[in-house]
């Protein structure tokens, strides 16, 4: 009996979704029908590789590549070099000038957005500043911000998700004296991990979201780390600095170690936290970064430890499954006396005053189905992205509070602003508190269903027009993006 009722319920939902809608836009904000995409764990038999590296002066060519992905052979995807999926990690010192010659060898528009960097608007990869097929552009800017692990990816309107999913992304690391003075683990004991779920079928990274997948965001069955499916990495009995980017389109992870051990969180999107903090798990949304120290010194030789994602409460499509991401094998006994400093940096809280402007963004009631385009659309304050509309006029140097209200929402939305770093003030509803990953400087604030998240931001870098959007890239591409103009 139960089965029959369930089947009937499913049937009526599908009729509702795919049946002919009378209205052009059919509001489905109160529906909750995204389905999880289960992860298929691999064999953890292929060694982790690190992305190649590049200096501040380099050439990136968006191109079609045949990437060697273990267990899948040659896979058609996109790359910034002919080597494969991820672009090189660009490492610079704060204050350094960057000159990247971008060449678009794709048959569609592309560009590069420098995620987390405070750079002039015309260098930021705004969706209206695209490079046409066969064209090129010199991205030229001076880095003027604290050390941190930032990243880059394409940002053309409505095809960001596809290009990023198919392989276009890379890390951008800024170093500075403050961080250098801490003597954090480096060289072989500093490991960047770009975690991305992919769909691979018939020798290609396939990007063909259904309407429901445009709603939930596209998730893949295979979790790659630095472009390797289910890798392992050999470690010494020592402390390692592991710098993690969730470079997935939509999938949120709840990172933990398989033996339940805690690890030390030292930084996030915008660099070091004020103090280090022991954590047992970290919820990390698309676009977010986590800088952690993992202590392998008490692991025994030949022991295996997995980085896993634990279950969490994330709406109907996320967090339902625990799965392994990669394996660490302790292979070498060494003596390591390194201790993580507890004081890392100084974070001056941005202060609001009675005159602080507060802007409210309703991000909850955002799923609708346009029968005109047969596409799922997403909105902010009931509006889809429109390049001719400025959603917020802000004064240069002013401090504002932005409130993202997902009270009535059914899906998680990691909200992101270009060109600034901000601080997260509060969360009410849902998890009702900030997580350790949300202290310090941020460029993404995750709003789970039922949550209101308030951020405080100072627009103190450059004047010009920037976008803000949900970093679930299917949401972004289907309209969940606005513009602010710094005057
Ligand atoms: Cu990584 Cu517009 O963002
Ligand atoms: Cu960005
Ligand atoms: Cu979203």
């Amino acid at each position: 009996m139960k089965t029959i009722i369930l089947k009937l319920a499913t049937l009526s939902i599908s009729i509702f979704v795919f049946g002919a809608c009378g209205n052009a836009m059919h509001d489905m904000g109160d529906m909750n029908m995204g389905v999880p995409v289960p992860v298929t764990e691999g064999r953890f038999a292929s060694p982790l590789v690190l992305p190649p590296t590049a200096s501040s002066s380099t050439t990136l060519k968006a191109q079609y590549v045949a990437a060697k992905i273990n267990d899948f052979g040659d896979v058609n995807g996109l790359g910034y070099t002919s080597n494969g999926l991820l672009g090189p990690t660009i490492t610079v010192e704060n204050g350094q000038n960057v000159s990247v010659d971008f060449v678009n060898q794709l048959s569609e528009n592309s560009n590069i957005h420098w995620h987390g960097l405070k750079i002039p608007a015309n260098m930021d990869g705004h969706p209206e500043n695209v490079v046409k097929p066969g064209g090129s552009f010199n991205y030229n800017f001076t880095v003027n911000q604290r050390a941190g692990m930032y990243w880059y990816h394409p940002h053309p309107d409505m095809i960001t998700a596809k290009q990023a999913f198919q392989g276009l992304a890379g890390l951008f690391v800024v170093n500075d004296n403050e961080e250098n003075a801490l003597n954090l683990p480096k060289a072989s004991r500093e490991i960047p991990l770009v975690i991305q779920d992919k769909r691979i079928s018939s020798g290609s990274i396939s990007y063909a979201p259904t309407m429901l997948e445009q709603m939930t965001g596209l998730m893949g069955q295979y979790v790659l780390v630095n472009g390797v499916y289910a890798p392992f990495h050999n470690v010494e009995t020592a402390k390692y600095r592991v710098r993690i980017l969730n470079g997935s389109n939509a999938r949120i992870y709840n990172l933990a170690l398989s033996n339940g051990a805690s690890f030390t969180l030292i930084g996030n999107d915008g660099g070091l936290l004020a103090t280090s903090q022991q954590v047992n798990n970290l919820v990390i949304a698309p676009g977010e970064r986590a800088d952690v120290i993992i202590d392998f010194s008490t692991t025994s030789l030949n022991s295996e430890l997995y980085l896993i994602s634990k279950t969490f409460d994330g709406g109907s499509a996320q967090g339902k499954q625990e799965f392994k991401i990669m394996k660490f094998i302790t292979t070498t006994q060494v003596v390591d006396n390194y201790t993580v400093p507890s004081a890392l940096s100084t974070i001056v809280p941005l202060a609001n005053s009675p005159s602080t402007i507060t802007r409210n963004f309703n991000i909850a009631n955002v799923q609708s189905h346009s029968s005109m385009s047969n596409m799922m659309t997403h909105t902010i304050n009931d509006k889809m992205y429109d390049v001719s509309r400025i959603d917020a006029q802000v004064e240069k140097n002013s401090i504002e509070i932005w409130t993202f209200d997902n009270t009535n929402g059914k899906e998680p939305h990691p909200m992101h602003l270009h060109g600034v770093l901000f601080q997260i003030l509060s969360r009410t509803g849902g998890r009702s508190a900030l997580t350790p990953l949300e202290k310090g400087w941020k460029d993404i604030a995750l709003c789970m269903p039922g949550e209101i998240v308030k951020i405080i931001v100072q627009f103190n870098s450059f004047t010009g027009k920037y976008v803000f959007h949900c970093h679930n890239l299917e949401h972004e591409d289907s309209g969940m993006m606005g513009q602010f103009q710094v005057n």
Side-chain angles (χ1 to χ4, degrees):
M1 188 57 192
K2 215 174 177 184
T3 336
I4 294 174
I5 292 172
L6 273 177
K7 277 192 178 148
L8 280 176
T10 322
L11 192 68
S12 64
I13 286 173
S14 18
I15 290 169
F16 187 68
V17 178
F18 298 106
C21 296
N23 312 330
M25 300 281 274
H26 200 118
D27 188 28
M28 305 198 307
D30 55 346
M31 296 200 59
N32 183 10
M33 59 201 171
V35 287
V37 175
V39 165
T40 306
E41 288 176 355
R43 298 177 295 124
F44 302 98
S46 298
L48 180 75
V49 297
L50 302 188
T53 56
S55 73
S56 58
S57 173
T58 191
T59 299
L60 297 176
K61 291 182 186 167
Q63 59 194 277
Y64 299 97
V65 297
K68 293 221 176 311
I69 301 180
N70 54 306
D71 298 1
F72 298 94
D74 280 346
V75 176
N76 295 317
L78 303 179
Y80 281 119
T81 68
S82 55
N83 299 335
L85 301 183
L86 287 178
T89 301
I90 297 174
T91 302
V92 304
E93 288 296 318
N94 185 17
Q96 212 174 329
N97 185 259
V98 174
S99 173
V100 173
D101 280 316
F102 171 63
V103 184
N104 182 7
Q105 296 182 337
L106 308 180
S107 60
E108 61 188 15
N109 291 343
S110 192
N111 64 0
I112 299 182
H113 166 55
W114 308 91
H115 181 126
L117 294 189
K118 301 166 142 198
I119 54 175
N122 62 344
M123 292 293 147
D124 180 67
H126 188 287
E128 78 180 346
N129 296 330
V130 288
V131 177
K132 299 222 172 320
S136 60
F137 184 79
N138 176 250
Y139 288 96
N140 202 306
F141 52 84
T142 301
V143 172
N144 179 22
Q145 63 193 80
R146 67 203 299 259
M149 191 173 84
Y150 307 95
W151 63 299
Y152 60 93
H153 60 79
H155 224 297
D157 192 22
M158 303 185 74
I159 44 176
T160 293
K162 178 179 77 168
Q163 292 184 4
F165 196 79
Q166 293 188 322
L168 293 181
L171 296 172
F172 191 101
V173 174
V174 177
N175 294 321
D176 67 9
N177 296 335
E178 180 193 38
E179 195 187 284
N180 291 341
L182 291 177
N183 281 315
L184 296 166
K186 50 174 154 295
S188 67
R189 292 191 192 155
E190 178 182 0
I191 317 170
L193 301 180
V194 182
I195 301 176
Q196 297 175 302
D197 59 339
K198 302 287 181 203
R199 277 191 196 190
I200 303 169
S201 65
S202 338
S204 295
I205 299 181
S206 44
Y207 188 82
T210 62
M211 217 187 311
L212 279 184
E213 287 165 344
Q214 284 171 356
M215 191 189 89
T216 57
L218 187 68
M219 284 171 272
Q221 305 91 322
Y222 307 114
V223 178
L224 274 51
V225 183
N226 298 344
V228 186
Y229 174 45
F232 75 87
H233 190 65
N234 292 337
V235 294
E236 303 178 325
T237 52
K239 295 195 174 71
Y240 281 69
R241 180 182 191 187
V242 180
R243 309 183 74 172
I244 300 164
L245 161 68
N246 180 355
S248 309
N249 276 29
R251 194 182 283 281
I252 299 167
Y253 304 88
N254 183 9
L255 300 177
L257 295 170
S258 54
N259 63 357
S262 66
F263 47 101
T264 312
L265 178 66
I266 62 168
N268 58 1
D269 301 353
L272 293 171
L273 300 173
T275 53
S276 57
Q277 185 170 349
Q278 288 297 113
V279 294
N280 285 302
N281 65 297
L282 283 176
V283 170
I284 184 168
E288 285 189 304
R289 285 85 75 204
D291 200 346
V292 303
I293 305 285
I294 301 180
D295 185 1
F296 296 100
S297 69
T298 54
T299 58
S300 45
L301 274 187
N302 301 317
S303 66
E304 299 180 345
L305 183 62
Y306 289 90
L307 178 66
I308 63 172
S309 179
K310 295 174 83 77
T311 59
F312 59 93
D313 196 1
S316 60
Q318 301 248 23
K320 303 286 179 243
Q321 178 197 10
E322 176 171 318
F323 53 86
K324 301 184 177 90
I325 296 171
M326 71 169 287
K327 177 165 83 173
F328 294 99
I329 310 172
T330 306
T331 52
T332 315
Q333 189 83 46
V334 295
V335 177
D336 174 25
N337 293 319
Y338 178 76
T339 53
V340 186
S342 96
L344 299 167
S345 183
T346 306
I347 309 277
V348 179
L350 290 175
N352 53 331
S353 69
S355 65
T356 305
I357 291 177
T358 298
R359 296 178 200 267
N360 295 304
F361 297 98
N362 177 13
I363 56 169
N365 204 7
V366 292
Q367 305 93 17
S368 45
H369 164 218
S370 160
S371 62
M372 312 285 284
S373 56
N374 206 30
M375 258 189 71
M376 195 66 69
T377 58
H378 289 82
T379 56
I380 298 173
N381 282 345
D382 297 321
K383 296 186 200 102
M384 282 179 68
Y385 175 66
D386 180 351
V387 68
S388 64
R389 186 189 68 236
I390 302 292
D391 298 274
Q393 294 281 357
V394 304
E395 287 302 310
K396 174 135 197 266
N397 293 323
S398 66
I399 293 177
E400 296 196 359
I401 293 174
W402 285 23
T403 300
F404 297 112
D405 188 341
N406 201 17
T407 304
N408 298 311
K410 296 285 187 275
E411 295 182 89
H413 299 294
M415 300 305 294
H416 169 55
L417 274 66
H418 282 208
V420 289
L421 291 168
F422 54 77
Q423 295 171 356
I424 305 187
L425 284 179
S426 67
R427 165 178 290 111
T428 49
R431 294 171 289 166
S432 74
L434 300 187
T435 72
L437 192 64
E438 296 177 321
K439 296 177 175 174
W441 291 102
K442 292 283 296 166
D443 55 48
I444 289 188
L446 174 61
C447 309
M448 285 292 198
E451 294 181 352
I452 299 175
V453 176
K454 271 187 206 296
I455 65 166
I456 186 164
V457 51
Q458 183 166 29
F459 298 90
N460 56 357
S461 330
F462 292 92
T463 57
K465 188 170 71 167
Y466 295 88
V467 292
F468 65 103
H469 58 87
C470 179
H471 220 287
N472 177 312
L473 296 181
E474 281 70 33
H475 293 184
E476 176 199 329
D477 275 356
S478 61
M480 201 167 173
M481 178 157 69
Q483 301 185 95
F484 63 93
Q485 168 92 39
V486 186
N487 300 298

